[in-house]
Amino acid sequence: ILLVEDEEKLASFLVRGLKEQGYSVDAAQSSRAGEAMAYENTYDIVILDVMLPDKNGLDVARTLRSEGYRGPLLMLTALSRTKDKVSGLDAGADDYLTKPFHLAELNARVHAVLRRKKLEGKNTLEYGNLTIDIERRQVSINDKTINLNRKEFDILEYFLLNKSRLVTRTALAEHVWGDNIDQADNFDFIYYQIKNLRKKLQESDATITIEAIY
Ligand code: CA
């Protein structure tokens, strides 16, 4: 992983957290250093801060893309406005995280992005008797399509991309409901969606289960 982040404290916290997950991480504190490292080494993922002292992270993303970097790009942004996220995605980013974020959320995103990369253009995933088409947002069990609402699909996809890993409810909430999740809110709405999702999976005899850990 290449991490380009100028805030020293945050950078060392993230490096430590990612290393604990078993990733090998290089850190750069400026755009120039980051670009140089990206040319010299091969990375599976580049995590890029938008606000950098020497050059905007979006421009770094464009540069890396135009220089041939095809791997995943994850942007870190302090800006939560939709416009900025769209610019990030236009610049070639695969995903973005709004600061402040939880380490668990970064780990989950990194894992999901790397899983997607492993699919290499394949849009369909199979888990037991369940097939999920990520492009068309369709889920079928034993070749029979099941109807999920938008949130149920997002939840299921997120769980599947983090298969066999612990997903915190906060990380799930942030991923599925966005950055404006108020920590003080109760999580009833998440439990409600998961309850429905579980019921639909069960009724269709899915061989996968969502397990809760308290
Ligand atoms: Ca910064």
Side-chain angles (χ1 to χ4, degrees):
I1 296 178
L2 172 62
L3 172 70
V4 188
E5 167 62 75
D6 61 309
E7 286 166 58
E8 251 183 272
K9 264 191 176 165
L10 178 64
S12 63
F13 172 73
L14 297 179
V15 167
R16 205 166 52 235
L18 289 165
K19 282 185 174 169
E20 272 169 19
Q21 295 290 308
Y23 297 116
S24 126
V25 189
D26 283 346
Q29 280 177 6
S30 65
S31 304
R32 194 191 297 182
E35 287 180 3
M37 283 161 114
Y39 300 142
E40 280 167 27
N41 307 290
T42 306
Y43 295 102
D44 291 317
I45 177 167
V46 177
I47 303 172
L48 201 50
D49 184 29
V50 172
M51 298 295 193
L52 291 163
D54 49 341
K55 185 175 169 186
N56 188 297
L58 297 172
D59 292 329
V60 178
R62 283 189 200 99
T63 307
L64 293 183
R65 286 296 186 221
S66 69
E67 297 285 336
Y69 174 73
R70 295 277 164 268
L73 262 173
L74 182 65
M75 307 293 303
L76 305 181
T77 171
L79 316 162
S80 59
R81 292 176 301 160
T82 315
K83 187 178 135 266
D84 301 303
K85 288 173 180 171
V86 171
S87 334
L89 298 174
D90 277 350
D94 295 278
D95 206 352
Y96 52 82
L97 261 176
T98 308
K99 290 177 179 178
F101 52 83
H102 293 266
L103 189 55
E105 177 60 6
L106 176 68
N107 284 330
R109 294 284 177 97
V110 167
H111 188 76
V113 165
L114 291 176
R115 283 272 315 157
R116 280 220 182 91
K117 186 193 170 199
K118 266 192 218 155
L119 298 175
E120 288 180 42
K122 221 173 63 174
N123 296 322
T124 318
L125 291 172
E126 282 178 29
Y127 298 95
N129 60 359
L130 181 145
T131 306
I132 178 166
D133 187 325
I134 290 179
E135 283 287 277
R136 295 166 64 203
R137 297 177 63 84
Q138 263 181 13
V139 176
S140 55
I141 293 170
N142 290 328
D143 297 324
K144 216 179 123 209
T145 305
I146 63 166
N147 289 317
L148 299 182
N149 70 34
R150 211 159 60 92
K151 293 299 179 205
E152 288 164 356
F153 181 91
D154 290 342
I155 293 170
L156 181 64
E157 182 198 35
Y158 196 62
F159 275 132
L160 292 174
L161 288 168
N162 285 285
K163 188 173 68 120
S164 303
R165 290 165 56 93
L166 182 64
V167 171
T168 67
R169 63 183 184 183
T170 309
L172 182 68
E174 285 175 354
H175 183 79
V176 177
W177 282 270
D179 321 304
N180 301 321
I181 279 285
D182 186 343
Q183 298 293 317
D185 275 356
N186 67 52
F187 286 88
D188 283 356
F189 56 99
I190 301 179
Y191 295 129
Y192 177 76
Q193 298 276 6
I194 291 179
K195 193 179 142 204
N196 286 344
L197 176 59
R198 274 206 176 109
K199 198 170 153 221
K200 288 181 182 179
L201 291 175
Q202 244 166 27
E203 284 171 355
S204 311
D205 297 317
T207 51
I208 59 158
T209 54
I210 300 168
E211 282 177 40
I213 292 172
Y214 295 96

